[in-house]
Structures are given as structure tokens and as C-alpha cells.
Amino acid sequence: MKRYIIAILSCATIMWSCSEEALLPFDGPEPVVNEAILPQGQHDYDASIKALYDRLGVIPMYRFTDEDWCWSVTSDIRMRYDYARDVDHGGYLLVEADERYVGEQLALVQTSVLDVFPDTLLRQLLPMKMLLASDIIHNTGSLTGHLPESDYRHENAYSGYGYVAFSMGSEKVTSLTEAERKTFRIDGLKMLLNRGIDNDIIPCDPDFARVTDYTLSYATTSDANQAGLINEYYLTPKSDWRIMVQNIITTPYSTMASKFLNKYPNIKKKYDIVTTYFIEHYGIDLQAIGNEP
């Protein structure tokens, strides 16, 4: 019996020693991102980047590596090919900006997206890193084999773990159509608004949450609309709040009224709460964005 106890104690001692070694601090080189990396180059727009950092505490980076963006909380989000299974896994590729066009890209981001928000809110919404990319490519993945590049999505904005990213740091920024500018604007606004709502920086108004009984299931879209839901699948106050905001900034008032507001009193009640909330708290007229041609 004593031998068993000694053996157990010996094993415990070894395991404790191993666990202590595992907790030793990492001694290798680690990427450091702070204001010391500014300026990243020698361009006229570097002064604007430094001013943005001084104002909002965000570091716009047009030079970055995979380590700056590839990790989520639990996994590597890079697109990749699984050789063993011969399938494409979904993921992202962020391509560094062409430095010749970063000035115009930064101006587009500021005037189309950032200028909508008050600085007090932006300081909460923006993480330390803002990656200025030439392209943000999303491969949605295939369960059966290869996804052709023609099916890749090219996105305007992305919210990652510890960063936000914007595309258009390429020659394309010099020849955008009005429709492309509007799409870039909406994608950027949705990204930041969703980030704020998901992280409770832009909390759901309690009056909004009281309109609908989220403990019930709604069998049809009509039932959901009657209860105040635009979509019957969004059955939490936070997700409902998010989808209402998205609908307002992407839909002219005339369409909102004919499709929802004039038919469903509970949706109208929620619409009024959302639009009033954003004007009173942030000075943002969501419907004015939706009305833009």
C-alpha cells in the first residue's frame, strides 16, 4: 500500500513539475502593435493615419502579416485546402494594400463610414488595429471538393478578433461607381454596427425588448410580423435589434412603410424605438442612410 502511495505522489510531483514548466513565459519574438509602428512608410497620407490614431486610438495598418488577422478566438480563419479529404475549407485571405492607393482608401473609409459615428462611440467600436487591405477574399468552402475562384466573395469590410479590416486599397478605389461606393458604405456601417451590438457597446433598448414575447415560436412569417419580428428566425432581443438596424440602413422609408410599418403595429413600434434611440444617443439618423439613393 505504501508503495502505491509513493508511486502516486511521485507521479503527482512529475505532473506538477511539468505543469510549472508549461506555465513559463514565452521567450520568442512576438509581433508588437502600438503607436511606435507609425508611420509605416514615407507617404503624405501617413500624417492622416497618425492623426486618426491620436483622435481615436486606432492604428491603421497597410503593412501587416497573417499573424495580425488569421486567428479567431478558437481557430485559424485562413482559407485552406484539406489534402487528406480533397476539399476546400472555408476561410479568409486579407491582402495588403497597394501603398499607392492607401490615401484614397483611407479617405473613402473616413467619409463613407467613420464620419457617421461620433468619436465617443468610435473609440469604443474600434479595436487597436484597422487593417487596410487591397482585397478581403472569403472562400465559403466546399464539402465535396474544390470551390472555384469565381465563387469566392470579395468583401468590403470585416470584423475580426482584435481588428477591423477594409478593402479597396488598390487601383479600384480610383474608379468606383456610385453604386459601389454605396455598397462599400453600407458594408462598413453594418460591420461596425454589428460589432457594437454583438459586444453590447450599442445595447438593445429595454422598451424594444418588451414589444415581443421571445419565449414563443412563430410558425409563419406573418405570425412573426404580427409579433413585431421582421424575420421569424431572429428570436432574441439582441439579434432582433441587429436585424432591425440592418433593415433600416438598407431600405428606403417608403419601402419600410409599405412592407412593414403600415401593416404591423409592433414592427412600427420597434422601428420608432430604434430610430429614436440612435438619434438621441449617437446623433445618427439610420433612416437617412437607408434613404440614400
Side-chain angles (χ1 to χ4, degrees), residues 11 21 61 67 80 103 124-125 154-156 179 182 191 193 198 201 209 250 255 271 286:
C11 290
E21 290 177 6
M61 300 166 60
E67 284 71 24
R80 62 197 184 281
Q124 298 178 71
L125 291 177
H154 297 267
E155 301 188 357
N156 289 315
K182 176 65 182 292
M191 181 268 287
L193 288 166
D198 291 341
I201 296 167
T250 57
T255 303
Y271 171 91
L286 296 178

Side-chain angles (χ1 to χ4, degrees), residues 9-35:
L9 290 173
S10 298
C11 290
T13 302
I14 292 171
M15 291 174 66
W16 177 259
S17 299
C18 291
S19 66
E20 280 191 325
E21 290 177 6
L23 294 174
L24 291 175
F26 177 69
D27 195 32
E30 294 185 12
V32 176
V33 177
N34 57 39
E35 69 275 12

Side-chain angles (χ1 to χ4, degrees), residues 35-86:
E35 69 275 12
I37 72 170
L38 300 178
Q40 287 190 292
Q42 296 180 339
H43 308 281
D44 292 341
Y45 55 74
D46 283 302
S48 298
I49 286 177
K50 182 61 166 60
L52 201 60
Y53 168 76
D54 292 339
R55 186 179 123 214
L56 301 175
V58 65
I59 300 175
M61 300 166 60
Y62 49 85
R63 295 177 185 174
F64 54 84
T65 65
D66 284 1
E67 284 71 24
D68 288 305
W69 64 267
C70 71
W71 289 102
S72 69
V73 176
T74 58
S75 63
D76 186 336
I77 66 168
R78 284 174 290 191
M79 64 173 66
R80 62 197 184 281
Y81 171 66
D82 186 334
Y83 287 92
R85 299 172 57 202
D86 190 30

